[in-house]
Amino acid sequence: MPILNSINQMLTEMKEWRQHLHQNPEIGLEEYKTSEYVKNKLNSWNIDFKTGYANTGLVAWVKGSKGNSDKSIGLRADMDALPMNEKNSFNHKSQNTGLMHGCGHDGHTTMLLGAAKYLKENSDFDGTVYFIFQPGEEGLGGGKIMVEEGIFDDFKIDEVYALHNWPELP
């Protein structure tokens, strides 16, 4: 099945993940429920992970089934929310007063979960993909903390990629 069609089949469940994350924002370095949500998803897909980075950060990985390459890439997503009240009225608006995923990190986390699930189900590649769920991106230096706490000592990650989306707010 072509990649796009396979990912499109995950659209409904990914929408549910994002809306759940959007409803439950947490401030940086305190994303305990978010981290637990991510771990539960990874466990349900039999994806290994290591916790203990910057309080709530974690790294998951999928090794490809093709070849013996020691090459790897990292895909990174932010998990934290902003300290602001949400003024939207849709059903999945923030349930945590004074916190909102106004910068799209609910989308970042959702996309990384989707990539992890897809690659676990379609592991016909050579090498390892690491999924870095980073806390505290909004001015708290979560990425720096993860590095200082040994993420690159624990894992041989050749390159890291991330993105920044621009959420549309009503």
Side-chain angles (χ1 to χ4, degrees), residues 123-140:
S123 63
D124 59 340
F125 59 91
D126 192 6
T128 303
V129 180
Y130 292 94
F131 306 93
I132 303 164
F133 292 89
Q134 178 193 319
E137 188 271 340
E138 293 293 346
L140 298 171

Side-chain angles (χ1 to χ4, degrees), residues 29-47:
L29 305 179
E30 297 179 19
E31 306 91 337
Y32 297 106
K33 290 180 181 176
T34 303
S35 184
E36 193 64 31
Y37 185 83
V38 168
K39 290 186 281 187
N40 287 338
K41 291 293 180 195
L42 296 170
N43 277 327
S44 73
W45 304 323
N46 295 312
I47 296 176

